Amino acid sequence: MTAGEQHPAPAARRPGGRWRRWRRGRPFTAGVLIALGGLEMLVTLRAPLGVLLHVGPQGLAAYLVPAVLVLCGVLLVATPQQRVFYAVLSLLLGLVSWLTSNLGGFLVGMLLALVGGALAFAWTPDKRPRPTGATGAPGAPDPAAGDGDGSALLPGARTPDPTPADRG
């Protein structure tokens, strides 16, 4: 290259492509909100005695509910297949925290846990079909292509069972 020529620009990448795909493949925001709600409740339990409003019945529940909420938030992000269980558990524990953990962490932690639980319950995985190159083995028949007679199935449709006449 001579001094007047410029280097070719590198191929443009989408910023945060892998991180964005990973984050969107799970209820990430819901898990973070639930974990933050539990952490906020744990912090308010360590508040000075003058700020402490309600310790709750038997001090163990005051620490157990927020700890399980933090665990639910982390497990929700780690294993999105179990999202309904973690969402319902987070909603129940968020409500129970009103009684056990300083009025739900002065309402802030309880609201974070409830909003996160609702988001986790409402979240669904992406059902869009992947490009043909990413579905599996090359040359594998496309299930939406039909039987090869020119008829194509609608997305989500199953092939009909053969009639006795078709079986031979």
Side-chain angles (χ1 to χ4, degrees):
M1 272 190 211
T2 61
E5 293 181 28
Q6 294 181 351
H7 294 283
R13 289 190 206 171
R14 291 180 45 204
R18 284 181 51 193
W19 166 250
R20 181 173 289 157
R21 277 193 310 275
W22 181 84
R23 190 183 68 215
R24 288 186 179 180
R26 56 199 68 242
F28 183 77
T29 305
V32 168
L33 287 176
I34 292 169
L36 285 176
L39 285 173
E40 198 273 336
M41 288 179 211
L42 284 172
V43 168
T44 59
L45 288 174
R46 303 302 303 167
L49 205 51
V51 179
L52 196 62
L53 291 178
H54 190 256
V55 173
Q58 297 139 20
L60 178 63
Y63 288 100
L64 189 62
V65 168
V68 173
L69 275 171
V70 171
L71 186 64
C72 278
V74 170
L75 288 174
L76 187 63
V77 173
T79 57
Q81 300 85 4
Q82 306 297 327
R83 69 187 178 278
V84 174
F85 173 73
Y86 296 132
V88 171
L89 186 61
S90 298
L91 289 169
L92 289 175
L93 290 175
L95 292 173
V96 167
S97 71
W98 176 262
L99 302 173
T100 61
S101 304
N102 287 336
L103 299 175
F106 302 119
L107 291 177
V108 176
M110 181 181 78
L111 289 176
L112 285 172
L114 291 176
V115 169
L119 285 175
F121 194 77
W123 182 83
T124 56
D126 190 13
K127 298 286 186 183
R128 286 182 283 168
R130 294 182 179 175
T132 56
T135 56
D142 187 10
D147 296 332
D149 60 356
S151 65
L153 295 174
L154 294 173
R158 297 183 324 173
T159 57
D161 292 329
T163 62
D166 292 333
R167 288 187 213 132

